[in-house]
Amino acid sequence: AQRRQRLSYDFFQKTKGRVIRGPFEGLQLDSDPSWGSADLASMLLGCYELEVLEALSAAEFRDKRHFVDIGAADGYYCVGTLFNNRFDTADSFELTQTGRETISRTAVKNGVSNRLRIFGAADSNFLTALKDVDWSNTVVLCDIEGAEFDLFDEHCLAAMRGAMIIIEIHNWIEEFWPKYESLLSTASHQYSLRMLEA
């Protein structure tokens, strides 16, 4: 872990914090990330979570022009997809104040702050902040460290129907299998499901 962080820091210095490959090429990252310091090198090389990058740019969903990033961390996806014009507008939800501040700085650096809304934690009432969202025009990405099983209940999934939703599943939580099976069962009634393999 320490080696990864040192390599990331060195690579950040060499690239001056700018992504040099991939769909976010040219994106300026923040020098003081709150979450992803060990992943900076792969982000700068454009190979971080390739399966997510590919899903976000899939041809079948290219018509969806709004993005909702739940668990936005340092803003890599929400700012990156605005920077490369994959989406016209975005909403981000991040639990920590330092994360929200990083997202804000990164959005300003990359000239997209006027197209991005930044919110706090995505709790059971988070949909009230998104009353103006057209879900049929929206891609959702969620990475909230196991809380996905509480957030995506039947009501939430029904309210977001029409969206393309990517949920990162965390299998280290207590009672994972019953929660996972319940989520798949609930979602399958309203959505067509597919697995993305990392």
Side-chain angles (χ1 to χ4, degrees):
Q2 289 177 342
R3 186 178 298 116
R4 282 178 64 196
Q5 287 193 321
R6 284 199 306 272
L7 287 170
S8 287
Y9 177 78
D10 289 346
F11 204 69
F12 189 93
Q13 299 304 310
K14 289 177 181 177
T15 61
K16 298 181 180 176
R18 200 170 291 279
V19 176
I20 61 171
R21 297 280 187 276
F24 298 163
E25 184 175 346
L27 179 72
Q28 181 70 54
L29 301 185
D30 193 78
S31 59
D32 187 25
S34 62
W35 282 97
S37 59
D39 296 316
L40 274 176
S42 60
M43 290 177 176
L44 291 162
L45 285 168
C47 58
Y48 176 73
E49 294 187 344
L50 285 175
E51 67 282 357
V52 174
L53 291 173
E54 289 170 2
L56 290 175
S57 58
E60 63 191 298
F61 302 113
R62 290 291 295 181
D63 60 320
K64 296 182 184 293
R65 303 301 302 169
H66 183 67
F67 183 48
V68 175
D69 192 358
I70 304 172
D74 297 318
Y76 182 69
Y77 290 114
C78 61
V79 177
T81 54
L82 293 176
F83 176 78
N84 74 358
N85 291 310
R86 166 59 186 92
F87 297 106
D88 300 324
T89 52
D91 292 310
S92 64
F93 290 83
E94 170 49 40
L95 175 67
T96 68
Q97 178 67 30
T98 54
R100 294 192 296 273
E101 290 170 357
T102 303
I103 294 168
S104 180
R105 287 194 305 270
T106 305
V108 169
K109 285 179 184 177
N110 290 282
V112 300
S113 57
N114 62 326
R115 298 160 55 198
L116 174 66
R117 297 187 295 191
I118 303 170
F119 300 99
D123 58 20
S124 59
N125 297 313
F126 88 104
L127 288 170
T128 60
L130 305 177
K131 289 180 179 177
D132 58 343
V133 168
D134 174 4
W135 294 106
S136 66
N137 188 44
T138 300
V139 173
V140 179
L141 174 63
C142 178
D143 181 2
I144 50 176
E145 306 302 318
E148 61 270 13
F149 300 107
D150 297 320
L151 186 65
F152 289 101
D153 59 16
E154 186 174 4
H155 166 74
C156 178
L157 290 168
M160 300 168 80
R161 187 154 188 186
M164 190 271 271
I165 306 173
I166 303 168
I167 304 172
E168 183 170 325
I169 298 297
H170 298 83
N171 62 6
W172 41 258
I173 66 164
E174 279 189 43
E175 300 181 9
F176 167 73
W177 283 108
K179 292 180 178 181
Y180 182 51
E181 289 169 358
S182 176
L183 174 60
L184 291 179
S185 175
T186 300
S188 67
H189 295 304
Q190 304 177 64
Y191 294 83
S192 173
L193 306 184
R194 74 179 70 168
M195 303 297 175
L196 296 178
E197 296 294 337

